[in-house]
Amino acid sequence: MLPAERRREMARLIKNRGAVNTRELAEALGISTMTVRRDLKLLEERNQLELTWGGAVPLSFEANDIPRARKAVSMLEAKQVIARAACQFIKNEDFIALDAGTTSLELARLLPALPLTSLGVVTPDLEIALLLSGCDHISVFLSGGLIDPVSRACNDSDAVAYLRGLRLTMAFVGTNVWDAHHGITTSTSAKMHYKRQLMTSADKTFLLADASKYAKFSPWLVAGVERFDHIITDSGLTAEARAALEAAPAHLIIADA
């Protein structure tokens, strides 16, 4: 294999697998770890990947959570548009789940004004629970467990066990990263298990994700996009991304202001 072909294959492997170490690349390509390191350095200089301790990740890979304060102001208008589109599906006497996150928070802000007399909401998100707790016609259930200081939400094994006892009419699932190929991924196994259980416990599932998060992925797979009944996003998606998502069974909704 010529060096240029080898580097293209190396870049492809890293893009598809996410975080890969030098030993794995050496075994996959039948070369020495020293050659891998040289190639990785060159690919980084060409802005095709990011070097890590002992390996590399694609530029679209996000291993860690973004601080909530930063997320709260990022793509705020898009999140509000998505939230308004999601509201149309919520009916009187529904029992819904709002995943942790700032897009779910924007949806929660709209719930008190909906023409409903009774609504049940379960959430792992402390801010959402506090926001809705003062509404007489909304019953709020906080899934318990250890509070994650970054997301300010409870999503450990206790929270997952709590969800197993519930039957939800719909679940609104958030994500920091997503695309048609890698699906919905997240930064920790705890969040993966929580989101999976949200989907299992609900009759209908909605993915709420703005376009700025598209074509990125994290280590832990929650589900493929085909597992959702509806995907609600904003108009910032590329034509290629739209085509890929429209090929999936999920109903794609492009929310617009």
Side-chain angles (χ1 to χ4, degrees):
M1 185 183 296
L2 295 174
E5 295 174 340
R6 184 182 68 236
R7 293 183 194 112
R8 280 196 296 271
E9 178 63 13
M10 187 177 294
R12 186 191 67 79
L13 287 171
I14 293 167
K15 181 179 179 181
N16 289 340
R17 295 186 187 181
V20 182
N21 63 45
T22 54
R23 179 184 54 78
E24 291 171 331
L25 289 170
E27 291 176 355
L29 297 170
I31 57 177
S32 69
T33 55
M34 185 177 295
T35 301
V36 169
R37 293 189 188 97
R38 284 200 301 266
D39 283 352
L40 290 178
K41 181 63 176 174
L42 182 59
L43 290 170
E44 183 188 43
E45 290 171 356
R46 294 175 178 175
N47 202 35
Q48 292 182 255
L49 52 77
E50 180 180 345
L51 289 179
T52 62
W53 181 259
V57 296
L59 292 178
S60 58
F61 187 81
E62 296 197 6
N64 300 309
D65 269 345
I66 301 167
R68 185 167 178 126
R70 182 175 142 202
K71 288 197 291 185
V73 297
S74 174
M75 299 296 292
L76 180 58
E77 184 177 348
K79 292 172 183 177
Q80 291 170 339
V81 167
I82 291 168
R84 288 196 293 270
C87 273
Q88 66 179 299
F89 294 95
I90 300 173
K91 304 294 188 292
N92 200 46
E93 298 188 350
D94 271 339
F95 187 21
I96 69 172
L98 296 184
D99 197 2
T102 51
T103 306
S104 294
L105 177 61
E106 293 307 316
L107 176 54
R109 294 189 198 281
L110 301 177
L111 297 183
L114 293 181
L116 307 174
T117 59
S118 178
L119 179 68
V121 177
V122 61
T123 183
D125 192 298
L126 298 181
E127 191 170 355
I128 290 174
L130 287 171
L131 173 69
L132 297 177
S133 62
C135 302
D136 292 339
H137 65 290
I138 300 178
S139 299
V140 183
F141 302 84
L142 181 64
S143 54
L146 182 67
I147 300 171
D148 174 47
V150 177
S151 64
R152 300 178 197 169
C154 310
N155 49 34
D156 65 0
S157 58
D158 289 335
V160 173
Y162 181 84
L163 287 179
R164 290 196 187 105
L166 302 180
R167 185 74 257 163
L168 305 164
T169 53
M170 59 188 75
F172 295 93
V173 181
T175 184
N176 288 333
V177 291
W178 66 299
D179 72 15
H181 176 66
H182 293 101
I184 312 310
T185 54
T186 190
S187 58
T188 69
S189 61
K191 291 177 183 177
M192 174 193 72
H193 289 300
Y194 188 89
K195 291 175 189 289
R196 283 182 177 179
Q197 188 59 51
L198 270 187
M199 298 174 68
T200 300
S201 297
D203 294 332
K204 291 185 179 180
T205 55
F206 296 76
L207 175 65
L208 308 182
D210 68 70
S212 73
K213 302 170 182 175
Y214 193 81
K216 300 177 182 179
F217 60 101
S218 289
W220 299 93
L221 174 64
V222 177
V225 293
E226 72 280 356
R227 292 288 308 279
F228 290 87
D229 295 298
H230 303 274
I231 298 172
I232 307 179
T233 187
D234 63 280
S235 58
L237 281 181
T238 64
E240 181 182 4
R242 285 196 192 194
L245 291 167
E246 286 169 349
H251 176 214
L252 179 64
I253 300 170
I254 305 295
D256 206 337

